[in-house]
Amino acid sequence: MRNKKDLYIAACISELDKLVEIPDKLKNLDVISLKNKAGLLFEEAMTANTENDEEVVYIYLMKYCQILQVMKKTFTDDKEYISLMNKDKLKRAIKMLTYVKESLEKRYSQKTKEGNNELLKNSNQNRKRVEEKLYFELESTITNENLLFLLNNTDKKKICLLDTRPSDIFNKNKIISCDVINIPKENLVLGLTAAILTTKLEDQFKELWMNRHNYNYIVILDQGTEDIDGDEKLLILKNALLKWDQTHDNRKKLKFLKGGYEDFNHLCPWNTTQNNIIKSNNDVEPLSNGELDPEPEFENLENKQIQYPSLSTVKNDLTKLKLKSTLFNGLTTDIKPKLDHRDNYSSEEDIDSRELAHTPINKPQLPIFDRSTKPPVKINQFMSPELIKPLYKNNDELDDENNELPNNIEQLENRRLSLENNFLENVDSYVHEYRNQEVDLNSIPHVDRSTKPSDDLLIVSRTKIIGGDGLRGLHNLGNTCYMNTILQCLSSTEDLVKYFINIYSKFINSKSRTKGLVAKEFSNVIKNLWSQSNKSFQCQQFKDTIGEYKDMFKHYDQQDSHEFLTILLDWLHDDLNQPEDNRIILGASKETGEEDWGNWTKANNSIIQQLFYGQQKSTVSCDTCFEKSVTFEPFLSLSLPLPSEGNKCTLSDCLQLYLNGESICGWHCPKCKRSRDATKKLDIMRLPPYLIIHLKRFSSNGYKKNSNVEFPKVNLDMSNFINGSEHRNWKYCLYGVSNHSGSLDGGHYTASCLKKSINKWYKFDDVRVYEIDSSTICSSEAYILFYCRKN
């Protein structure tokens, strides 16, 4: 029989009992999560048992039993469920605990009699290490103090960090204490697996990634995210390792670093490359040797309890350094370079520098970027866009010999043309016309407007578009066709164009997340697309602006056009939102969703809400007791599934499939007080004036459905698909289509748009704009459909 492992954690059973209490936050988990935690603890106890480590066996089994007690309290009226779920394991755990406890008590007593002072001397230190070990194995999120503990108390070669920051930022400032793999967020797309990710990594990281299963800890981090559940990209990477790395179980080793690189650098800059920047910078006062050198803190680890530097102390010490723009290679920058950078771009409506100067730099909504790596205006620095000689007469006359796009000269020309446009000269007159309508814009109506058309929208529809014909092309700045297709479709949305050309500036919400800058730059794009110029437009400043607020748009990788559309309209709504908090809702029905809609529109009142938002009802019904839960939700677009069988279907088929009930698992029934199988049913209660329909062609496994969906162009009748009490015209006409050709890994976006003033359809393929036959619009490439309600 193998000898039992020496006692090393505690000096008596009472000391060991101090380690068995489970954290309070575990007690707040749902029953499924608790079940998984309990199973993990039991497995660890069995592993320790094979090593004859009685102290660890005792700790794990005691924690296991405590979690079962928490589960029993949650399910007080269904004890049979807990009993059946853990009956065999629980019996085995209790039997082992009885034996192990008796054995430990005898062994502790014997050691005490022998006067083993060394055991007593080291018990506190060993106990602390066991506490840390248990924490790491139970939690999926760790702090930077925890990571520092691991780096200094475990084998660094067994720790790997997955840094998801952009490559340019990572290469300048990174953690150097252990193996690090750079996986930029732009590589984290839906359907990602561990195998696919191997092909996306740079060569220098591929070997580390292939050996990932040899690490004890794999830690995901970014610049400074506090909670992984709030970042879709990080969750994709997490799922790739938990769900799509099937040859290995990464549950225990995979962690997320709370606060990311930013907090780690504040805590211990000597473990990052920024330490070198600090010591080599002649413009700042260097930290003292005592502050930089970690040796005094960590010498004689075996005989000395570890001391951590205070996070607040380190932050105070670095305050002076962070005020100088040269520190950390531009991570904190002066405002002047930011203004100088903006002046390099072409924009019809220059941004007031005083407004920017008064914008707080440290606002949490504004991410801090290294502006020193910002791409210059010349797009050929990144990649040459596809250049095809235009077929339509109003496109640029490109230089076929040099095959180059216009540079800053064209941007100056864009600015001059914009200032000369008639619609800019007549803006004041249209604003005057708008203000002199019978409706007082500043008054707050005390009536229920939840079911009535917006007066603002009616006024906007009466204004005119002064300028060109909206047939300017857009340069591809480098994989920006996803952006171009959406901008062209929105540029064909008549009421939206009228609003942004004539009156939008009076409704800017400077307190929004983007300070109104996205709406201003979007207006510049619309005005350019509807100018009388024959040259295609380069919307570099618009792209740079949205890139400041979303990392995925900062670089030049292909993105999903529907995701871009959703984010853009959300930003525009925020930039133009004028809440009517004091409006009183009278006579609105709760059952039909009118009351919910009225309350939602009080807080969400913008042209985006008035044009594009509808309402749907979600009903979840328990399959066992038939208890129902009903919620009303606003929607910006309808994302319709495609039938799995057949290469042909109709839009009506997709709508019916969307509205059919679907089965869901693990719904917590409020009546049964447990997880049940349930059915979820959607009903459309309210339709918007402009209806956006998204065809879900891309599956989570990376497969694209190329089904040919037949959709009507002039008479989409939605009367069979609405369940609300709202009585309006439910017939729609198609005016725009965002097309996608190719696969998920590589493809191209174009737009097909109807210009109502001349009643002709045109294809927008970046700089190419040409007339097409309406019969070619319905194809297997149609991805997003834009409909307008018929008058």
Side-chain angles (χ1 to χ4, degrees), residues 48-61:
N49 186 53
T50 60
E51 299 172 355
N52 271 3
D53 190 343
E54 290 187 328
E55 288 178 308
V56 173
V57 171
Y58 181 83
I59 293 171
Y60 278 129
L61 289 182

Side-chain angles (χ1 to χ4, degrees), residues 21-64:
E21 186 67 29
I22 61 174
D24 289 337
K25 55 185 175 182
L26 281 183
K27 300 176 183 179
N28 298 324
L29 295 177
D30 59 87
V31 69
I32 301 299
S33 299
L34 286 172
K35 176 180 177 293
N36 293 335
K37 296 286 186 185
L40 186 62
L41 286 168
F42 189 84
E43 291 175 7
E44 289 296 323
M46 296 304 103
T47 301
N49 186 53
T50 60
E51 299 172 355
N52 271 3
D53 190 343
E54 290 187 328
E55 288 178 308
V56 173
V57 171
Y58 181 83
I59 293 171
Y60 278 129
L61 289 182
M62 287 294 289
K63 285 178 176 288
Y64 167 78

Side-chain angles (χ1 to χ4, degrees), residues 109 177 186 209 367 403 409 537 564 618 624 659 676 684:
S109 177
S177 305
E186 55 259 35
W209 178 254
N403 201 31
I409 295 175
F537 175 54
F564 171 74
S618 173
T624 302
L659 297 174
R676 294 289 196 189
I684 300 173

Side-chain angles (χ1 to χ4, degrees), residues 751-753 760-763 770-774 776-777:
S752 302
C753 299
K760 291 182 179 180
W761 281 88
Y762 289 87
K763 187 70 167 286
Y770 52 93
E771 185 179 347
I772 58 175
D773 192 286
S774 61
T776 65
I777 296 170

Side-chain angles (χ1 to χ4, degrees), residues 195-254:
I196 293 176
L197 188 53
T198 306
T199 64
K200 295 179 177 291
L201 297 176
E202 295 182 17
D203 291 341
Q204 58 178 315
F205 302 120
K206 286 185 177 180
E207 184 176 353
L208 294 177
W209 178 254
M210 295 300 292
N211 295 325
R212 63 190 177 277
H213 305 119
N214 297 328
Y215 294 106
N216 292 334
Y217 299 98
I218 299 177
V219 183
I220 299 173
L221 66 109
D222 65 356
Q223 181 65 22
T225 299
E226 293 287 322
D227 184 5
I228 190 172
D229 292 332
D231 193 306
E232 181 181 354
K233 294 288 187 179
L234 296 178
L235 288 174
I236 289 175
L237 178 56
K238 177 182 176 182
N239 290 333
L241 285 163
L242 291 182
K243 298 180 180 179
W244 305 111
D245 195 8
Q246 298 178 352
T247 57
H248 292 79
D249 186 357
N250 298 317
R251 286 180 301 168
K252 290 189 294 182
K253 64 174 64 175
L254 186 63

Side-chain angles (χ1 to χ4, degrees), residues 63 68 115 193 237 308 397 412 480 539 580 608 611 720 735:
K63 285 178 176 288
L68 291 190
T193 66
L237 178 56
Y308 296 105
E397 295 180 1
L412 295 174
T480 56
C539 54
E580 298 179 320
I608 305 301
L611 291 178
N720 293 329
Y735 70 90

